[in-house]
Amino acid sequence: MADLPWQGHRVRIHLRVRRLRCDNSLCARQIFAETASDVVEPYGRRLRRLSNVLRWVGLGLGGEAGARLLDRLGMPASADTLLRVVRTPDRPSCSTPRVLGVDDWAWRKGQRYGTILVDLETNEIIDLLADREAATLARWLTEHAGVKVIARDRAGAYALGAREGAPEAQQVADRWHLLRNCSEALLDVLERGHRVVREIGKSLADQNMPCRESPSGAYRASKAARLQTERRHRRRALFDRVMELSRLGWSQLAIKRELGTDLKTIRKWQRDKAPGSWERTVFKPDAVEPFEEYLRQRWAQGCRNATQLYREICGQGYQGNAKAFRCWVKVRLREGTPAPTSRPATPRQAARLVTKERDMLAQPDREFVQALCTASPEITRAAGLARRFQAMIQTRDSDALAGWLEDTLMSPPASLARGLLRDVDAVRAALSLPWSSGPVEGKIHKLKLIKRSMYGRAGLDLLRVRVMGS
């Protein structure tokens, strides 16, 4: 039998046991043999302690990675053997938790999903289910009677399965999902009024108002375009300084010491008389040069549409392809053109701004929100209700829920209130109980790590053993 290695060497134990024969002809059993069940499984070829090591390596690393590690440790075993050892024990026992967290996880995103069950008191995974159907969850709850609290998201299937499988359990809606539902309802209102949002954002942008540097600005420059423009300006300024020192008679080594620029860059700039660009050039400048004067004139007139310019020069005899021409426009014409400084807010940005406290907004954002609320009373009322809902969730004020629902049923986001009324007991429990499905999300992260390490080849049985055993 194989045993743990000694000083990196494989060890095999030869165990001799006695076999006894019964000379009583009336005895039903004629042969008796000694067993060593305390150190080895029946018919086993490795000791229990070696099997335990193989099992823990298989649980942690899987088949192929575990086999590579064991070979280095002097306990060689194939990947198939490791997986067989992991699967050998009986199905892991599922204890019945008092507080159960339920959420779904993706076998393949958008196509196939499973369900993960977590004991929120011990923070341990209890079981994995093959799908996220209500009947599957109800069947599991029926087999494991005794669950008192079920924390879940807003999925209707889990609500139905919890009612059918554990009707006496208290369901708790997840607070993060409640806030998300509120944000989506407000976004729907702003998308219906997208013309108002766009017109106000455009009018404020046309006034050349200063824009915020933070991502929450209502009309801000593209960060990537702004950084690219800044890099080009720094590169151009450095090139001008190098050429100025060259005209004054400085040597390349002296310029390098003064500016800290690489010698190869200095030589290239002096040779090409241009700073060049880091962008890969995929066009032939010679093909566009006959039309460069016309293109620069049209560019100065305000035509910034590369497709339109391409059509115009094709009518004048240009035979290059559109992709090469657009690259020429990007490198040659846009090189010194400042990036746009502002852009109108999108409905999603506006939804984030109207729900913030006015004191936390910059001056441009505050004026945008003020103008938007003045132009649309519907958006004003929806934003006020959204802020009330957020404050209610943050302060856990369950007494304010009834009044908020009554006011919201008569307002634009009435669909949100109707959805919460269908699940009002779970929503009220979310405001009064400490439980949520947040810890379940962390366990899903662990599950995805293990699932992806098996390259999608494992079935539910192996995935379940590894997730619950590791």
Side-chain angles (χ1 to χ4, degrees):
M1 294 169 293
D3 195 7
L4 295 176
W6 180 82
Q7 294 292 330
H9 297 281
R10 297 177 62 182
V11 174
R12 289 189 177 276
I13 294 180
H14 296 270
L15 180 63
R16 186 182 299 272
V17 297
R18 293 179 297 172
R19 179 175 295 179
L20 308 176
R21 296 179 181 273
C22 181
D23 57 1
N24 186 354
S25 60
L26 300 179
C27 183
R29 187 169 182 177
Q30 299 295 319
I31 300 176
F32 299 85
E34 291 181 328
T35 61
S37 57
D38 55 335
V39 296
V40 66
E41 296 284 350
Y43 302 100
R45 298 301 300 273
R46 66 178 68 89
L47 297 187
R48 288 182 184 271
R49 57 186 184 182
L50 176 59
S51 297
N52 290 335
V53 171
L54 298 185
R55 172 175 168 77
W56 286 112
V57 171
L59 286 173
L61 298 178
E64 297 293 341
R68 291 192 294 268
L69 175 63
L70 289 173
D71 187 61
R72 293 291 187 91
L73 297 178
M75 296 176 284
S78 67
D80 292 337
T81 297
L82 275 182
L83 298 183
R84 186 166 55 251
V85 171
V86 168
R87 284 189 170 107
T88 297
D90 296 334
R91 178 184 176 90
S93 60
C94 298
S95 59
T96 300
R98 191 182 70 88
V99 183
L100 178 67
V102 183
D103 206 347
D104 59 356
W105 53 276
W107 275 105
R108 189 173 182 182
K109 190 173 182 179
Q111 299 187 23
R112 183 185 172 197
Y113 289 86
T115 299
I116 183 171
L117 307 177
V118 178
D119 186 343
L120 294 181
E121 291 185 311
T122 62
N123 201 28
E124 294 181 354
I125 299 176
I126 299 301
D127 205 352
L128 299 181
L129 306 182
D131 54 48
R132 56 177 179 179
E133 300 297 329
T136 305
L137 177 60
R139 188 182 312 113
W140 190 94
L141 291 172
T142 303
E143 296 173 355
H144 300 80
V147 178
K148 302 299 182 183
V149 179
I150 301 176
R152 54 169 178 79
D153 57 16
R154 299 295 316 290
Y158 289 149
L160 178 60
R163 284 196 300 269
E164 294 179 351
E168 302 298 328
Q170 173 64 63
Q171 298 187 38
V172 181
D174 185 62
R175 287 178 288 277
W176 182 87
H177 287 88
L178 291 174
L179 292 173
R180 181 182 178 184
N181 295 151
C182 178
S183 299
E184 291 174 347
L186 178 60
L187 181 60
D188 290 340
V189 175
L190 287 165
E191 286 180 343
R192 290 198 297 269
H194 67 279
R195 289 188 179 87
V196 178
V197 176
R198 185 174 63 249
E199 290 172 0
I200 292 176
K202 186 177 180 181
S203 64
L204 292 177
D206 291 340
Q207 298 175 12
N208 295 323
M209 300 180 60
C211 60
R212 290 189 65 187
E213 295 296 332
S214 64
S216 63
Y219 30 87
R220 67 185 190 278
S222 169
K223 183 177 180 180
R226 187 167 63 252
L227 293 177
Q228 185 180 32
T229 302
E230 292 174 358
R231 287 194 297 268
R232 286 175 177 172
H233 290 168
R234 289 196 301 268
R235 186 177 176 87
R236 183 71 193 190
L238 183 60
F239 167 78
D240 293 340
R241 182 62 177 157
V242 168
M243 299 306 294
E244 180 184 356
L245 295 178
S246 297
R247 287 192 295 270
L248 294 176
W250 286 45
S251 66
Q252 294 180 352
L253 185 58
I255 296 174
K256 174 184 181 303
R257 291 171 179 170
E258 176 69 18
L259 303 179
T261 309
D262 187 72
L263 280 174
K264 293 181 180 178
T265 302
I266 296 173
R267 295 191 192 102
K268 185 176 186 302
W269 286 355
Q270 291 178 343
R271 183 181 67 249
D272 299 341
K273 307 298 182 184
S277 173
W278 287 299
E279 299 172 353
R280 185 167 60 100
T281 304
V282 295
F283 59 87
K284 295 181 179 181
D286 296 341
V288 190
E289 282 181 359
F291 313 95
E292 183 172 357
E293 182 178 356
Y294 171 79
L295 291 171
R296 292 192 179 278
Q297 180 182 358
R298 293 285 290 127
W299 190 267
Q301 293 173 356
C303 181
R304 305 299 172 88
N305 190 321
T307 303
Q308 176 63 29
L309 295 175
Y310 176 72
R311 295 195 190 101
E312 293 178 6
I313 65 171
C314 282
Q316 300 178 18
Y318 177 69
Q319 298 180 353
N321 60 62
K323 181 177 179 181
F325 176 75
R326 282 194 292 268
C327 185
W328 185 91
V329 169
K330 178 181 178 181
V331 174
R332 292 297 176 85
L333 295 184
R334 297 185 190 275
E335 180 76 25
T337 303
T341 58
S342 61
R343 63 182 181 186
T346 64
R348 187 172 296 277
Q349 292 170 345
R352 185 168 60 250
L353 292 174
V354 297
T355 54
K356 271 191 174 183
E357 294 294 336
R358 298 294 176 88
D359 297 339
M360 299 177 62
L361 295 175
Q363 182 62 26
D365 295 339
R366 192 180 301 116
E367 295 185 8
F368 170 79
V369 172
Q370 181 64 34
L372 182 61
C373 293
T374 303
S376 175
E378 179 180 352
I379 293 177
T380 304
R381 184 167 177 79
L385 290 170
R387 288 193 296 269
R388 283 177 54 188
F389 188 81
Q390 291 177 356
M392 182 174 60
I393 295 293
Q394 292 171 358
T395 59
R396 309 284 185 87
D397 188 3
S398 58
D399 297 333
L401 179 61
W404 183 89
L405 289 173
E406 183 178 353
D407 295 341
T408 308
L409 285 172
M410 307 300 295
S411 302
S415 58
L416 172 63
R418 289 193 293 268
L420 296 181
L421 279 174
R422 291 192 294 268
D423 200 19
V424 66
D425 292 336
V427 175
R428 187 172 288 109
L431 300 177
S432 58
L433 297 178
W435 308 110
S436 73
S437 58
V440 186
E441 297 292 345
K443 296 301 181 182
I444 292 176
H445 182 75
K446 171 185 175 181
L447 183 150
K448 288 182 178 180
L449 176 65
I450 295 176
K451 180 175 73 71
R452 289 167 181 167
S453 69
M454 294 188 285
Y455 302 95
R457 300 178 181 177
L460 180 63
D461 59 336
L462 180 58
L463 181 62
R464 182 179 182 275
V465 170
R466 287 196 61 188
V467 169
M468 296 177 62
S470 61

